[in-house]
Amino acid sequence: MEQLADPEEDRTLNRPLCSIVVPTYHGRRLLEFSLAAVFRHLPDDPALACEVVVVDNGPDDSTGEWLALAHPQVRVVRLPPGQGFCRAANAGIRAARGRFVQVLNDDAEVTPGWIEAGLAPFRDSRVAAVSPLVLVRSRPDRVDSAGDDYSLAGWPSKRGHGQDVARWADRPVEDVMSPSGSASFYRADVLKTLGGFDPAFVSYYEDVDLGFKLRWAGWRTVFTPHCRVLHEVSATADHRDPKLQRLMARNAELVFWSNLPARKLALAVPAHLALLAVQAAWRLARLRFVPFYLGKIDALRELPTLPARRRLRADLARRATAAPHFPMGLGSVEKVVDHLRRPREASARPGG
């Protein structure tokens, strides 16, 4: 088992154990609750020292001014407006000094002991990412996500979404396909080596893409029920917005065609085409087809980038110290139906 930190070295280098990176877009209202919870529940143990990095890419600087007054201990990274989640998160990751990084949504609220529980699985040196048990803030007896699943049909989904928390409270620390984007922890050196989140995604499904890259590189991603975070689902954007629906339709294809191992594609492609047909028919029946269609056209424009994307994954596999492993099945029809019945909530990126 690995020691999480060398307290003497960290004191010498003035290095925190964990950096909490919070990307925000004009999110002062959300930050008031999020940061209050972070500072209320930070551990007192100096061996668990943390820093908070807020990346502000909103349209004005009022959030930065408020942070300077309300939370002067926060390190603020200011970006030009509208960079998107991936670029904002990556700027925070580059600025982070901790051995570990938690990328925390500004609409998430941590709970007591979350740092201790979230970092504990990293004692296994094969673990590169940890997903907490994320609960719906307005209904904390309900699960938002327990890590992410991914089906061979190209369907990313939140494990446990909408289920009673009691079904997940006593689960063991266990492998998941990818980390949930709203509140997961990462090894900082691994995250930086992989380049963080792919900025081509802008927002949505970037966490699933990163989960694939971690697995291509031979790392484990795990879920722990002992770390709990409350999440105000879809508080930062209206996922009925046609522009967001178009972006999500595009990004779903990028994840699928960039990441699936070649040996799985023979089975996956027919299932994926069937999934696309179901999605298209559902959207046509509800007059929501145009953003979906345009997103798929946008994905076709990305075809020239796919060889380089797939070479990157192959290079990660060649350098990996453990064989890549992708725990995927064909997926559940029930999950697809549930998603289509609740388009506002479930069409958000699996973790965010």
Side-chain angles (χ1 to χ4, degrees):
M1 297 296 283
E2 178 182 350
Q3 184 179 359
L4 286 181
D6 182 340
E8 185 60 38
E9 178 185 346
D10 287 347
R11 278 196 297 271
T12 301
L13 298 177
N14 193 28
R15 183 183 190 186
L17 178 63
C18 185
S19 299
I20 302 156
V21 172
V22 187
T24 189
Y25 178 78
H26 205 45
R28 173 178 166 176
R29 176 184 61 84
L30 298 171
L31 284 173
E32 289 182 9
F33 292 97
S34 179
L35 294 184
V38 165
F39 288 112
R40 185 165 62 248
H41 299 310
L42 278 176
D44 295 326
D45 185 348
L48 297 173
C50 298
E51 67 173 354
V52 179
V53 180
V54 172
V55 185
D56 180 12
N57 75 137
D60 59 53
D61 61 358
S62 62
T63 300
E65 293 174 354
W66 170 77
L67 283 168
L69 293 173
H71 296 288
Q73 69 274 54
V74 168
R75 297 175 59 207
V76 179
V77 177
R78 175 71 184 168
L79 296 181
Q83 296 292 298
F85 177 86
C86 292
R87 292 185 185 279
N90 287 346
I93 291 164
R94 288 192 297 271
R97 298 176 298 157
R99 292 175 180 268
F100 305 97
V101 172
Q102 182 186 28
V103 180
L104 185 69
N105 276 16
D106 61 3
D107 56 359
E109 181 179 339
V110 300
T111 62
W114 104 99
I115 283 288
E116 298 92 323
L119 296 182
F122 288 113
R123 296 187 186 280
D124 182 339
S125 60
R126 301 168 297 166
V127 171
V130 177
S131 273
L133 179 58
V134 182
L135 307 177
V136 178
R137 184 174 174 183
S138 58
R139 290 199 61 189
D141 62 328
R142 294 291 161 185
V143 173
D144 177 32
S145 69
D148 292 342
D149 277 334
Y150 193 84
S151 79
L152 277 174
W155 185 262
S157 61
K158 300 178 180 183
R159 296 197 325 152
H161 183 69
Q163 295 177 5
D164 192 306
V165 66
R167 296 181 58 177
W168 294 86
D170 296 323
R171 294 288 284 261
V173 175
E174 58 191 359
D175 279 80
V176 293
M177 181 59 212
S178 62
S180 301
S182 59
S184 288
F185 296 82
Y186 305 87
R187 289 186 186 273
D189 56 346
V190 173
L191 198 54
K192 292 175 181 180
T193 298
L194 293 179
F197 299 102
D198 186 343
F201 281 77
V202 185
S203 300
Y204 302 99
Y205 300 130
E206 75 290 326
D207 50 348
V208 181
D209 179 70
L210 177 60
F212 265 106
K213 286 192 288 187
L214 288 169
R215 288 194 165 276
W216 274 109
W219 292 99
R220 290 181 64 200
T221 294
V222 301
F223 158 75
T224 176
H226 309 301
C227 176
R228 299 190 178 189
V229 176
L230 305 174
H231 182 214
E232 195 65 55
V233 180
S234 302
T236 56
D238 181 356
H239 296 100
R240 295 170 297 186
D241 184 339
K243 292 180 181 178
L244 291 186
Q245 291 183 8
R246 177 175 179 173
L247 181 62
M248 287 185 281
R250 165 192 179 269
N251 288 355
E253 297 306 308
L254 285 184
V255 171
F256 180 84
W257 296 104
S258 299
N259 289 294
L260 258 72
R263 65 184 182 275
K264 291 184 180 287
L265 280 175
L267 177 62
V269 169
H272 186 61
L273 294 177
L275 173 65
L276 292 179
V278 170
Q279 290 176 311
W282 186 90
R283 285 167 172 79
L284 273 170
R286 288 157 181 81
L287 304 180
R288 297 177 183 176
F289 178 74
V290 172
F292 175 79
Y293 169 76
L294 292 176
K296 300 309 178 185
I297 296 299
D298 292 340
L300 286 173
R301 296 191 179 104
E302 297 291 333
L303 279 175
T305 72
L306 287 181
R309 290 174 177 276
R310 295 192 65 86
R311 282 196 300 271
L312 171 62
R313 275 72 176 168
D315 289 343
L316 291 174
R318 279 192 290 270
R319 297 196 301 267
T321 56
H325 173 58
F326 305 94
M328 294 181 291
L330 278 174
S332 166
V333 174
E334 178 186 358
K335 287 184 178 181
V336 176
V337 172
D338 179 65
H339 173 92
L340 296 178
R341 283 177 176 171
R342 295 186 290 176
R344 173 179 171 81
E345 182 173 311
S347 62
R349 69 169 186 264

